[in-house]
Each structure stands twice: as C-alpha cells, then as structure tokens.
C-alpha cells in the first residue's frame, strides 16, 4: 500500500489537511503532491466542507520544500513537466471555491512557502521561517514563487529573498505582509480555526464571489477587474442570502445564511 503523506479530518465543517512526513520535514515528494491533489478533489466534492486549513505534521515544519531527493532524476527537458504538475495543483488550491488558510507551524521553505502563498490567508506560529532557497541548488522557485511572492510583497523584497536566500522569521513575514497573523508556537491551527469560523458565519456566496473577484482581478486591468466585481456582485444580489442579510440587519438579529 502507498504510504500516506497527506491526511485530512473534518471538524465542524472545516477540513484540516496535514502534510505529514516529518522525517523529511514534510518535503513535497511526488506521492505527497498526488495525495494533495486528490485530497482537494475530494474536498471540492464534499458539501460539508466550508473551508480548508493546510498545515504540516510535527512541531518543526510546515513544508521544507520540494523533495530534493527527486531532483537528480529531473533533467532540463523534464523540468517543465515536473514544475507544471506542482503549479497545476497549487493553482487548484488557490482557485478552491471556499476559503483556504495556511497554518504555518514551522519551516515554509521553497515549495512550502509557495504552498502557503496559494492559500487565501497565512497564519504563522512564531517559530515559522519563510524562504525560497532554490538558488542554493542552482535552480529557481518553480511552484509559483517567482510570481506569487512579488505580487504579495513587491518585487524588491521578493528578489532579496529569492536571489540571496534571505530567510525571514514570522514577525518579519508579518511586517512585509506575507502573513496576516503571528501566534505562539503550536497555536497556528487553533487560530486558523477561529478565523475560519468567523468567515463561515458570513454569507458563503459572498465569500466565494469576493475570492473570485480578488484572485481573478489581480491578473486584470483595473477596468476589467471592476467589471468582474460587478458581475460577482450580480451573483450576490441574485441570492436569497442577500435578502436574508438585509432583513437580518433591519430586524436587528443575526443573519442565517443558506448559501443560495
Ligand atoms: N527535501 C528532502 N529532504 C529534506 C528536505 C527537502 N526539501 N528538507 C529537509 N529534508 C530532510 C533532511 O535531509 C534531513 O534528512 P536526514 O535526517 O535523513 O538527514 C531531515 O529532513 C531533517 O532535516 P535537517 O536538515 O537535518 O534539519 P535542520 O533543522 O538542520 O534544517 C532545514 C532544517 C529546513 C533548514 C534544512 O533541512 C534545509 O535547508 N532543507 C532544505 C530546504 C530547501 O532547500 N528547500 C527548497 C527545495 S527546492
């Protein structure tokens, strides 16, 4: 039987996905990527799941990057396919139609930082360390790091991190906007659950449309993005949840959203 490196449980509508291979600090080998891909396919088809948290097994690492043991097998021609596969899976996570939070409990290096960056929100434990060390191996980030990092923190800081392998701690990651919250060691998943529950109390269609407008709009001109915002708002205004939200406000009671 294939070893399981990715596990998930559902607690109160939140799927907690754990990448669990502590002997390699949860490095992403081919089997882990396949299992992560399958996990997100299954979660996508599960209506019970209202949001996803991704974390790493053990106390030390979120994900310490792609599995370097596999690099020697990949030569020039194979690199495009090798990278495209990881990129496709990370794109799928980024486009997941419900919120995804990274609970970064330790090292988030290379593919680990790239995985965190394709999540909607990052919460870091204070022992977390972020970086893109690929140039040490004579390669560049290949699961989206050259694209998502500068979009999140600006090109100058991204180049400093990627060119010089500048590692940054949780507080610095917070200061530059790479993570949204820093919590004590061991608390990242709990904090992510707290935030997810708050998000889940809102209208799910509104959250889905806000995610779509933000994610897809980032690759558009301002005018195109504003048009997309209008279309997404049209979906919200066509929903029962919009009427429920307005009525609840006017009747001074909490809204009970049904996601339709
Ligand atoms: N791929 C494969 N194995 C990895 C790995 C990776 N990306 N990252 C860590 N490991 C393995 C180590 O080889 C070691 O295995 P061993 O016990 O069989 O020797 C084990 O995980 C523990 O790592 P170790 O280096 O002993 O821990 P440390 O606390 O001294 O250092 C790191 C931790 C994360 C700083 C260090 O492991 C590291 O630099 N890893 C590579 C990070 C990287 O370059 N990622 C990008 C890849 S593209």
């Amino acid at each position: 039987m294939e070893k399981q490196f990715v596990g998930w449980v559902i607690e109160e509508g939140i799927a907690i996905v754990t990448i669990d291979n502590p002997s390699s600090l949860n490095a992403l080998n081919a089997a882990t990527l396949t299992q992560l891909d399958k996990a997100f396919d299954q979660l996508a088809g599960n209506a019970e799941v209202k949001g996803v948290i991704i974390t790493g097994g053990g106390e030390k690492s979120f994900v310490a990057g792609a599995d370097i043991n596999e690099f020697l097998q990949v030569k020039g021609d194979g690199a495009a396919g090798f990278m495209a596969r990881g990129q496709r899976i990370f794109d799928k996570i980024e486009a997941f139609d419900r919120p995804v939070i990274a609970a970064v409990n330790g090292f988030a290096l290379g593919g680990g930082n790239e995985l965190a960056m394709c999540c909607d929100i990052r919460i870091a434990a204070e022992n977390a360390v972020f970086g893109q060390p690929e140039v040490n191996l004579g390669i560049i980030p290949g699961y989206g790091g050259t694209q998502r990092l500068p979009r999140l923190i600006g090109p100058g800081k991204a180049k400093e991190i990627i060119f010089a392998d500048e590692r940054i701690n949780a507080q610095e990651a917070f200061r530059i906007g790479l993570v949204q919250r820093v919590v004590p060691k061991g608390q990242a998943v709990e904090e992510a659950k707290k935030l997810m529950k708050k998000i889940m109390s809102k209208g799910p269609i509104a959250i889905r449309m806000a995610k779509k407008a933000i994610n897809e709009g980032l690759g558009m001109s301002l005018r195109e993005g504003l048009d997309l915002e209008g279309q997404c708002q049209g979906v919200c205004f066509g929903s029962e949840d919009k009427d429920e939200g307005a009525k609840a406000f006017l009747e001074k009671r909490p809204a009970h959203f049904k996601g339709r």
Side-chain angles (χ1 to χ4, degrees), residues 161-179:
I161 290 170
I162 293 173
F163 292 2
D165 180 26
E166 279 291 308
R167 310 256 166 124
I168 55 174
N169 65 24
Q171 287 302 343
E172 174 71 352
F174 176 73
R175 193 185 69 76
I176 64 174
L178 181 57
V179 306

Side-chain angles (χ1 to χ4, degrees), residues 22-25 27 60 64-69 71 107 109-111 133-134 137 139 167:
S23 65
S24 69
L25 302 181
K60 192 172 164 181
D67 189 330
I68 299 169
N69 293 301
F71 281 18
F107 289 115
L109 299 176
E134 288 86 351
L137 306 167
I139 58 171
R167 310 256 166 124

Side-chain angles (χ1 to χ4, degrees), residues 42-62:
Q42 287 170 357
L43 296 173
N46 187 336
E48 195 194 333
V49 174
K50 309 296 183 206
V52 180
I53 294 170
I54 305 179
T55 194
E59 293 240 310
K60 192 172 164 181
S61 184
F62 175 69

Side-chain angles (χ1 to χ4, degrees), residues 180-233:
Q180 285 61 62
R181 293 183 186 191
V182 179
V183 295
K185 187 176 175 188
Q187 292 300 305
V189 171
E190 280 314 307
E191 185 71 11
K193 281 189 206 167
K194 236 187 268 171
L195 179 58
M196 190 67 87
K197 281 182 187 160
K198 187 169 183 193
I199 296 170
M200 282 162 56
S201 72
K202 317 297 179 195
I205 296 173
I207 302 300
R208 194 169 76 237
M209 287 300 115
K211 176 167 177 169
K212 181 179 166 73
I214 294 168
N215 280 8
E216 294 179 21
L218 277 171
M220 294 176 175
S221 69
L222 180 60
R223 185 64 260 161
E224 289 166 334
L226 291 170
D227 289 344
L228 173 65
E229 183 182 81
Q231 290 156 23
C232 291
Q233 186 69 296

